[in-house]
Amino acid sequence: MLKSLLLSRGRVAGLQGLQGIVRKTADEDVARFQLFDKGNLSKILPALLMNIEKGEWEAQHANSRQLQSDSARNDEEFEADMGGGGHVGGGGSSVHQRESSVGGDEKSRLFDESDSASDTTPQLLAERCFRDLFQRVKFGTTHLSLIFYPMLNYLDTNGWENSRFVAKCITLVMTSISPQYAFDAITLWLNHISERKTEVIPKIEIVQHLKDSLNIAASQTFGTSIYEVIDKLVQYLKMSIECELRFKKESRKLSEQKEDRIVPVSAANHHKSESLNATVKVERQYQEALIEVMGSITVNVADYQKLEIIKFLFEKCPGRPSLQGANAANANGASISAVTAPGTPYRHQSKGGATNTGGGTTGNTAGGTMNSTFSLDDSVYLSLDETDKRMQNYLLKCIESVALLYTTVNYSDTFKAGIITPLIQLSVSPDANVRILVLGIIQRLLDRHENREKLARMDLLPDLENIRTKGFKSPTSRSDQNFMCGTGQSFFHTIYVNCFFESNTRESFDAIYCTLALLIIEVGFDESCLLEMFKLLLAIQEEIRDRTDSAKGKEADPAGGQVSFVVDASQVKGQLTEAQLMTLNAFVACTFNLIGKLFSFSYKHLDEYITGVLFRMSQLNKPRMDPQTAAKLQSAVRKSEVKSDVKGSKSSLNDCLFHENALETSLNKDGFAANFTKFVPKNKS
């Protein structure tokens, strides 16, 4: 004990000397001694870090030693209470205590001197000196690099496994340096990662601790530094994916050789195959760590900066068509055309028969004018290699995590051209997983009242009592109205196109339903938006009927001045299965039912008509919808009031469809000046 006390006092004295050197020479040269010199810092920093690490180790094991001492004391007390040799042992113990008490006064004097000489420990003094050193950084990366490299070399030598010590170092650094140099420090961490091209496990540990640094730095800095950090993380992510795929390919070759050979594979090749598989797993963990860091970088930044980060990530996302045509259209002042999916062009037909391919015309909105025509081709996506596909998937997950933290106020401010354009483009990707991810991003940006989780699954019995109705009990803002009349029309086009992909699963239909349901809740109070939603649902129902009956659509000239969906259904790629068509029928029924129940206080006759159609569906022997929804159809009708004339009528297949004339009549009874232009698909020949 005496020896450790003397060592501790010696360490304190040495650290006080280092602290004096730092404070005296940081601002001026004393005897030609330069503090920010590579040789001097390589001697000072390891001494400080060693004392900090020792202090953390002692604090970490203090509790375990205390438990052990308590256990030993309990054992001694138990033996003393026992009879027999306990008294003999007790006598011997007292003699030993008397003998060991010699020199006790001298030891207590040393302890008292130690306490009076210094009120701190070597760890606290080392931390104080460490902070002083980083607080005196004046020339950004020049000084930081001189301090950082000795620290990183010390961590490399002593290992990154002591997470408590590493976290302590990160906290000390990021809370000591000036905010303007915070991201310079992050850049030095990332450069250290790039130097470790083969050692993956230390990379994972560095990235995991880097997350804490980013949270501190992002809350203190502004400007473009954050984008430089994200750019580096994206580069490392791509490099890791390429390494993983290369290792997978080599492992696959070894496994194929093993299957082809009759003679057993050598132990060396077997060991190499296992090593490659282990490396692939570690690379995947490294990628997940990078994704987590990129997602957490926006926790403490402002909302406007979150949008800029989303735009930046979209620019890095592969698989998006170029916008050269869009820029040309912008220059010429062309009218907006909503995004057209591969092989699924449809038009707005307005009064007088004029047709605008894509999405009609719009004026300037608060969200910006999308004066462009986007033509998506499958070749854009099919040309992606495995690395680009993985990058696309990872970056979309990052964008979704950022969108989760963003708080939407006005759609015109959120869905600007740099965000809505890639969203709509990627939402019609042939990859079902990509479509689900993009729809998830749209949902998180649309949801202003935390209803997404309640509408995540297509259901005839939605939990309406817990849905926050603030979004549609009061009139929609003028800004939202302008947005939905213009750029927002692209959402309806996206939903229609997504319904008819042959790769759709139940999860895909749930994502489509949730997206449209959130639009209904947020902007459905506006009559023009609600009318467009009815037209969209009728267009989907018409296409389902045409596909089910294998009948050709007839082209006619719709009358009236309202805009309607006119869809070239024959060009929708993919042949849907019967199960998919039945799920689409359920989607239409669930969405109509949601509209009727949400707006029953304003449109009573509309709710009665929708309930009547659902009742007729329930009377069929085999409702034309998926079993999961059909099982709830009876319960949904039972909870609703059905008119007596509907109950007494016989149901036919035609009565189990929603008709625009009946919808128009019901809405007019409720004071809704609805005027549906009849939906007519183009000639399929």
Side-chain angles (χ1 to χ4, degrees):
M1 187 67 182
L2 180 60
K3 183 178 179 181
S4 62
L5 177 62
L6 293 174
L7 289 175
S8 177
R9 293 183 62 185
R11 288 162 54 196
V12 168
L15 289 169
Q16 288 174 341
L18 288 178
Q19 188 177 28
I21 292 174
V22 170
R23 291 181 175 180
K24 182 65 177 175
T25 62
D27 299 327
E28 55 181 302
D29 294 338
V30 178
R32 297 182 180 179
F33 180 87
Q34 294 182 359
L35 177 63
F36 292 101
D37 178 75
K38 185 176 181 180
N40 295 330
L41 290 174
S42 64
K43 299 173 184 177
I44 295 174
L45 274 167
L48 299 177
L49 292 170
M50 184 271 293
N51 283 278
I52 296 173
E53 183 180 19
K54 185 174 178 60
E56 290 297 322
W57 184 88
E58 291 174 351
Q60 187 174 359
H61 292 79
N63 293 332
S64 61
R65 290 198 303 270
Q66 183 66 31
L67 291 174
Q68 291 176 1
S69 63
D70 292 343
S71 177
R73 189 180 301 110
N74 293 333
D75 292 340
E76 291 176 359
E77 292 176 357
F78 177 76
E79 292 177 358
D81 293 338
M82 298 296 290
H87 296 287
V88 177
S93 176
S94 62
V95 173
H96 178 70
Q97 289 177 2
R98 286 194 301 271
E99 292 177 351
S100 62
S101 63
V102 178
D105 295 338
E106 183 180 357
K107 291 182 180 180
S108 62
R109 180 178 57 80
L110 289 174
F111 278 112
D112 294 340
E113 288 180 1
S114 173
D115 293 338
S116 61
S118 175
D119 59 349
T120 186
T121 63
Q123 180 191 7
L124 295 177
L125 193 58
E127 290 179 9
R128 192 181 304 164
C129 185
F130 193 80
R131 288 179 181 276
D132 287 342
L133 189 59
F134 276 92
Q135 287 172 356
R136 283 163 170 75
V137 171
K138 294 182 178 180
F139 299 103
T141 309
T142 304
H143 282 178
L144 275 177
S145 60
L146 292 173
I147 303 176
F148 249 78
Y149 287 133
M151 180 181 67
L152 293 173
N153 290 334
Y154 181 88
L155 293 173
D156 291 339
T157 304
N158 294 274
W160 295 80
E161 292 79 9
N162 189 352
S163 58
R164 181 168 176 167
F165 168 60
V166 177
K168 184 74 174 180
C169 291
I170 292 173
T171 304
L172 289 173
V173 171
M174 301 308 298
T175 55
S176 301
I177 61 177
S178 176
Q180 60 183 327
Y181 301 138
F183 274 105
D184 291 331
I186 302 297
T187 304
L188 292 172
W189 282 86
L190 295 177
N191 291 337
H192 191 66
I193 293 177
S194 64
E195 293 174 1
R196 294 180 168 272
K197 297 181 180 179
T198 56
E199 302 176 22
V200 181
I201 295 180
K203 285 184 180 180
I204 297 175
E205 295 166 353
I206 294 173
V207 170
Q208 288 173 346
H209 295 302
L210 186 61
K211 179 181 175 182
D212 301 327
S213 302
L214 286 169
N215 289 336
I216 299 172
S219 62
Q220 297 177 344
T221 58
F222 301 93
T224 60
S225 300
I226 191 170
Y227 306 111
E228 297 175 3
V229 172
I230 294 175
D231 187 42
K232 282 185 174 292
L233 291 173
V234 171
Q235 292 176 16
Y236 299 146
L237 179 62
K238 186 172 183 179
M239 290 167 56
S240 177
I241 293 173
E242 291 173 348
C243 289
E244 180 195 348
L245 295 176
R246 185 172 66 253
F247 292 143
K248 271 187 177 180
K249 186 177 180 181
E250 294 178 7
S251 178
R252 196 179 301 115
K253 285 182 178 179
L254 288 176
S255 61
E256 290 175 356
Q257 292 175 3
K258 183 177 179 180
E259 293 175 357
D260 295 340
R261 290 180 181 178
I262 300 177
V263 181
V265 182
S266 64
N269 286 341
H270 179 71
H271 177 72
K272 183 179 180 181
S273 178
E274 291 183 349
S275 177
L276 288 172
N277 292 332
T279 306
V280 167
K281 292 181 181 179
V282 174
E283 285 287 354
R284 183 64 65 92
Q285 295 175 2
Y286 176 49
Q287 294 161 21
E288 292 174 356
L290 287 171
I291 293 299
E292 188 177 357
V293 169
M294 280 192 281
S296 65
I297 199 172
T298 58
V299 172
N300 296 318
V301 301
D303 278 345
Y304 77 90
Q305 204 165 8
K306 291 186 178 75
L307 287 180
E308 295 299 322
I309 291 172
I310 290 175
K311 290 169 62 176
F312 185 78
L313 288 173
F314 268 129
E315 292 175 1
K316 298 295 179 181
C317 189
R320 282 205 305 124
S322 63
L323 301 182
Q324 295 178 356
N327 296 332
N330 256 332
N332 297 330
S335 60
I336 177 177
S337 292
V339 175
T340 303
T344 56
Y346 60 89
R347 307 171 295 171
H348 276 169
Q349 187 156 349
S350 56
K351 187 174 181 180
T355 302
N356 288 318
T357 304
T361 60
T362 62
N364 292 332
T365 63
T369 306
M370 288 179 59
N371 296 325
S372 55
T373 303
F374 306 107
S375 178
L376 301 187
D377 187 6
D378 282 350
S379 60
V380 175
Y381 303 98
L382 296 177
S383 61
L384 295 179
D385 58 15
E386 187 64 25
T387 302
D388 289 337
K389 290 179 181 178
R390 289 276 298 278
M391 280 291 297
Q392 186 185 69
N393 192 275
Y394 278 138
L395 291 179
L396 288 176
K397 289 181 179 178
C398 289
I399 293 171
E400 187 175 14
S401 64
V402 177
L404 178 62
L405 300 171
Y406 177 76
T407 302
T408 302
V409 179
N410 293 321
Y411 290 152
S412 56
D413 296 332
T414 301
F415 294 101
K416 295 183 179 179
I419 293 178
I420 192 172
T421 299
L423 276 176
I424 300 302
Q425 289 174 339
L426 292 171
S427 67
V428 292
S429 166
D431 189 340
N433 293 327
V434 172
R435 296 198 302 272
I436 292 172
L437 281 174
V438 175
L439 289 176
I441 296 170
I442 294 174
Q443 292 161 17
R444 296 186 187 282
L445 294 176
L446 286 175
D447 188 14
R448 293 182 289 197
H449 302 92
E450 300 180 7
N451 291 316
R452 180 178 180 271
E453 297 299 328
K454 307 176 184 70
L455 299 168
R457 287 192 164 273
M458 193 165 53
D459 196 351
L460 269 173
L461 297 170
D463 190 6
L464 297 178
E465 295 181 0
N466 293 328
I467 292 179
R468 300 182 182 181
T469 57
K470 182 180 178 181
F472 63 91
K473 273 192 172 181
S474 58
T476 310
S477 67
R478 184 64 179 172
S479 174
D480 288 344
Q481 289 177 346
N482 290 337
F483 173 79
M484 292 306 300
C485 290
T487 309
Q489 291 290 321
S490 301
F491 291 133
F492 299 140
H493 293 251
T494 298
I495 290 170
Y496 180 89
V497 171
N498 270 267
C499 287
F500 298 103
F501 278 100
E502 61 181 351
S503 58
N504 278 347
T505 61
R506 176 67 191 218
E507 188 179 1
S508 303
F509 291 117
D510 285 338
I512 298 168
Y513 169 78
C514 183
T515 305
L516 184 56
L518 289 172
L519 281 170
I520 292 169
I521 290 175
E522 296 293 345
V523 297
F525 192 90
D526 181 57
E527 292 186 355
S528 61
C529 293
L530 191 60
L531 189 63
E532 290 298 319
M533 294 172 188
F534 284 137
K535 294 174 184 177
L536 171 63
L537 292 172
L538 292 174
I540 294 172
Q541 178 184 257
E542 184 78 9
E543 176 62 20
I544 297 170
R545 185 175 63 178
D546 290 347
R547 286 171 178 259
T548 304
D549 299 339
S550 299
K552 291 185 178 181
K554 297 181 180 180
E555 183 169 1
D557 185 14
Q562 294 293 329
V563 176
S564 65
F565 286 93
V566 181
V567 184
D568 188 355
S570 64
Q571 296 186 18
V572 179
K573 294 186 177 181
Q575 297 297 322
L576 301 186
T577 63
E578 182 180 357
Q580 288 174 323
L581 292 173
M582 293 176 71
T583 306
L584 270 177
N585 271 322
F587 162 75
V588 173
C590 290
T591 309
F592 266 115
N593 182 58
L594 178 66
I595 294 174
K597 295 298 179 286
L598 283 176
F599 299 99
S600 58
F601 58 89
S602 298
Y603 307 120
K604 180 180 178 182
H605 293 88
L606 173 66
D607 184 31
E608 290 177 351
Y609 168 70
I610 293 173
T611 303
V613 175
L614 294 178
F615 176 78
R616 295 189 186 97
M617 289 182 182
S618 67
Q619 301 304 302
L620 295 175
N621 294 329
K622 292 183 179 181
R624 300 175 65 179
M625 58 182 62
D626 64 293
Q628 185 177 350
T629 307
K632 295 184 178 181
L633 187 58
Q634 295 289 347
S635 300
V637 173
R638 198 181 304 117
K639 291 184 178 182
S640 304
E641 296 182 2
V642 184
K643 300 175 90 175
S644 57
D645 58 338
V646 175
K647 289 184 178 180
S649 62
K650 294 183 178 180
S651 300
S652 63
L653 287 177
N654 191 50
D655 295 330
C656 297
L657 298 175
F658 296 93
H659 298 280
E660 57 267 25
N661 292 332
L663 281 171
E664 185 176 338
T665 302
S666 301
L667 290 170
N668 288 334
K669 289 181 181 179
D670 293 320
F672 189 146
N675 183 13
F676 283 92
T677 303
K678 184 175 177 59
F679 165 76
V680 181
K682 292 176 64 179
N683 192 344
K684 298 183 181 182
S685 59

